[in-house]
Amino acid sequence: MSPSLAHRGPAPQLHRAALDRRRLPLICASLLILFGTLGDRVGRRRVLLLGYALFGVASAVAALATEPPSSSRPARCSASAAP
């Protein structure tokens, strides 16, 4: 490997993936606290059924889609990285 390539560091895509992996536990912990509190106030069964309903609707929309979404994250990341 040439010194100029070694000095640059990892590819930007790898850096973004590493940042996403670091953010995921924080997001999951925040949602766990939020929905735990909501479950205590509204009722755990209602929150569970709401989650099932939202998952079902999202799955149906994804199953009926004829083409991938145009505003997907990889497309936005690559477009913003272009000079």
Side-chain angles (χ1 to χ4, degrees):
M1 180 180 279
S2 71
S4 63
L5 289 177
H7 185 268
R8 287 178 144 179
Q13 294 84 7
L14 295 176
H15 183 67
R16 284 190 196 112
L19 284 176
D20 288 343
R21 277 184 293 196
R22 284 187 226 145
R23 291 180 189 149
L24 186 63
L26 180 64
I27 292 169
C28 289
S30 301
L31 290 174
L32 184 65
I33 292 170
L34 173 72
F35 283 102
T37 304
L38 185 65
D40 288 340
R41 292 184 183 182
V42 177
R44 287 180 175 85
R45 182 180 170 125
R46 285 185 184 169
V47 173
L48 180 67
L49 293 175
L50 175 68
Y52 286 159
L54 290 175
F55 182 79
V57 168
S59 296
V61 168
L64 296 173
T66 57
E67 58 186 47
S70 60
S71 63
S72 66
R73 184 179 176 130
R76 283 185 282 146
C77 288
S78 64
S80 65

